[in-house]
Amino acid sequence: MDVIYTDNNATTKVANEVIEEMLPYLGEFYGNPSSMYTFGDEVGKKIRQARQKVADLINATPEEIIFTSCGTESDNAAINAAISMYPEKKHLITSAVEHPAIKNLFSYLGDRKGFRVTFVPVDTKGRLDLDTLYNAMSEDTAVISLMWANNETGVIFPIEEVAQKAREKGILFHTDAVQATGKIPIDVQATGVDMLSLSGHKIHAPKGVAALYVKKGIKFPAFLIGGHQESGRRGGTENTVSIIGLGKACELAKENLELMNTQVKELRDYLESRLLSEIPATSVNGDTKNRLPNTLSIGFDAVEGESILMLMDRKGICASSGSACTSGSLDPSHVLMAMEVPFKSAHGTIRFSLSHYNTKEEMDVIVETLIPAIDKLRQMSPFWKDGKMI
Ligand code: PLP
């Protein structure tokens, strides 16, 4: 199917190089990596290489990498481990704009498990309220979990600074780097984070494979009790083919990091400036000075994001809206609400998230599609009169 795919924060195309790397292990090399014979260890060797490649992308060591099934599993495993390591501590800190993998887990722990949870607010540009965060830290805090970069706006949080403060106070620090990985440099040693989640399907590996980094020395308990796999922390025969794919994807992500911050960023900026200058009453959500290079969250006043998506879909353009669509609601997402984005533009927000597979021609098609589409929707909108929002 011919599509213009600009929804890479939702998921990505599996890179051809990744598919090629995986295929022999789907067919010919089917041995169990734990077997004693050479045929099995062919796979074992490949998994060790993949672990090294994942570690290399974030400047960790292979022993610090646990393979999991998704970013959500990595996030849950990290937080549950933190809680069980400090059973006497009953306070948790996160932000108001996390992905549901953290947000809903923290709400559950607060509502059902007796934890006191601080959801640190953000300002209108999506920047973290550091005073509230630092004032909330206490001896009772078991873990702080903050996303490295926001999936909707791309806004980047000051992870190194917060990790250092957490370290000074002796509080475990986890970061959900599912969106940051492969888009900005990540160095777990330089930043000093204790745990970090990343997910394969956001970086051109298949869906269903991810990783959790756990800093050496942390007494991380087993979360799938079974065999000796993943150093006994996550038992169960490995998802060999996908892990091999994740390794390759991490190698490519490292190679492509510069491309992401030059070519992809330029495309995003080009799309943004054309949309802002050619469609009136349009605004960008989030801190444009400190954002992922591939992400654009843009609000069109007086129209519904879902209607825009439908009109773009007719041209094969894939993007996301800024509504809380996962909950079946057309309300703006919790991220846009936390940022207090005015209702008029929050409702008409679209997220474009690019990859190095996108082209300038595709950006032109998006703009040429949106100019008449937004105009048409505004003609029908009860909130639009005489060229402006009423
Ligand atoms: N964290 C963030 C910031 C995300 O954007 C996502 C997915 O969109 C996840 C976690 C969950 O990752 P997965 O889909 O691999 O469970």
Side-chain angles (χ1 to χ4, degrees):
M1 192 177 167
D2 233 6
V3 293
I4 294 179
Y5 191 77
T6 58
D7 203 13
N8 287 278
N9 287 8
T11 198
T12 57
K13 163 191 159 77
V14 180
N16 290 341
E17 298 93 321
V18 169
I19 296 174
E20 266 169 40
E21 189 88 359
M22 287 174 11
L23 276 179
Y25 298 87
L26 198 57
E28 195 181 344
F29 297 105
Y30 54 82
N32 189 318
S34 303
S35 313
M36 293 301 287
Y37 40 81
T38 314
F39 181 63
D41 195 49
E42 279 302 318
V43 185
K45 211 162 51 192
K46 218 47 199 175
I47 289 194
R48 289 193 288 280
Q49 285 169 7
R51 201 182 296 281
Q52 181 70 57
K53 288 174 185 176
V54 176
D56 285 348
L57 179 62
I58 59 172
N59 196 23
T61 60
E63 301 73 38
E64 294 173 312
I65 302 297
I66 303 174
F67 289 118
T68 66
S69 69
C70 56
T72 305
E73 182 187 331
S74 296
D75 284 346
N76 274 251
I79 303 311
N80 288 327
I83 288 168
S84 69
M85 278 187 276
Y86 296 102
E88 70 291 356
K89 299 190 178 188
K90 292 290 172 208
H91 176 231
L92 310 168
I93 301 179
T94 189
S95 85
V97 294
E98 298 293 311
H99 184 273
I102 287 292
K103 177 179 164 277
N104 291 350
L105 173 63
F106 275 60
S107 296
Y108 167 80
L109 292 168
D111 297 345
R112 308 282 288 276
K113 296 288 172 186
F115 285 87
R116 197 163 53 82
V117 183
T118 303
F119 289 97
V120 179
V122 293
D123 68 9
T124 54
K125 288 194 179 298
R127 293 174 299 207
L128 202 61
D129 178 347
L130 288 173
D131 287 342
T132 302
L133 171 60
Y134 295 151
N135 287 333
M137 290 182 182
S138 80
E139 290 190 346
D140 193 35
T141 309
V143 65
I144 300 170
S145 180
L146 289 178
M147 63 201 328
W148 200 308
N150 188 273
N151 45 307
E152 292 189 32
T153 59
V155 172
I156 298 167
F157 280 166
I159 293 303
E160 185 170 354
E161 187 185 326
V162 180
Q164 191 186 332
K165 276 274 193 299
R167 202 163 50 249
E168 285 164 18
K169 301 243 177 192
I171 303 171
L172 269 183
F173 183 76
H174 165 259
T175 181
D176 175 345
V178 166
Q179 290 297 341
T181 309
K183 295 174 188 149
I184 52 174
I186 291 191
D187 183 330
V188 288
Q189 296 197 32
T191 40
V193 301
D194 296 313
M195 296 182 282
L196 174 147
S197 306
L198 62 88
S199 181
H201 74 109
K202 311 289 185 182
I203 55 167
H204 306 287
K207 294 156 193 60
V209 65
L212 174 65
Y213 156 82
V214 180
K215 186 156 85 188
K216 202 164 152 197
I218 291 180
K219 292 197 171 31
F220 191 90
F223 60 102
L224 266 191
I225 297 171
H228 62 279
Q229 294 91 349
E230 303 306 307
S231 308
R233 296 172 292 193
R234 186 184 189 271
T237 302
E238 298 88 340
N239 179 0
T240 53
V241 181
S242 296
I243 288 172
I244 291 165
L246 177 62
K248 185 68 187 176
C250 285
E251 182 187 313
L252 294 173
K254 200 171 176 202
E255 285 168 21
N256 288 332
L257 197 56
E258 199 177 323
L259 206 62
M260 178 59 86
N261 287 278
T262 50
Q263 186 182 300
V264 179
K265 182 178 180 299
E266 277 160 28
L267 272 190
R268 190 274 314 269
D269 291 345
Y270 174 73
L271 176 66
E272 174 177 303
S273 75
R274 277 205 69 185
L275 290 174
L276 285 176
S277 63
E278 295 178 48
I279 302 181
T282 298
S283 50
V284 175
N285 302 311
D287 183 7
T288 52
K289 293 198 189 70
N290 195 19
R291 159 183 74 139
L292 293 175
N294 78 321
T295 306
L296 169 61
S297 171
I298 189 160
F300 303 96
D301 286 6
V303 288
E304 284 289 344
E306 283 60 38
S307 312
I308 306 173
L309 288 185
M310 276 187 327
L311 293 177
M312 288 202 297
D313 187 37
R314 290 186 192 163
K315 295 274 168 79
I317 302 166
C318 310
S320 283
S321 76
S323 74
C325 46
T326 42
S327 59
S329 140
L330 288 183
D331 284 342
S333 70
H334 69 284
V335 175
L336 298 180
M337 296 231 260
M339 291 164 64
E340 296 179 352
V341 173
F343 244 56
K344 59 176 186 159
S345 60
H347 271 284
T349 284
I350 299 293
R351 177 192 69 186
F352 296 99
S353 47
L354 312 184
S355 79
H356 62 277
Y357 294 113
N358 287 120
T359 62
K360 188 155 180 267
E361 289 68 36
E362 290 180 333
M363 301 303 109
D364 288 329
V365 174
I366 293 173
V367 177
E368 302 308 331
T369 303
L370 279 178
I371 292 172
I374 302 285
D375 189 47
K376 182 174 160 190
L377 292 171
R378 282 178 175 164
Q379 303 294 334
M380 298 186 295
S381 169
F383 304 110
W384 189 258
K385 204 167 168 228
D386 300 333
K388 58 177 194 294
M389 178 101 180
I390 51 167

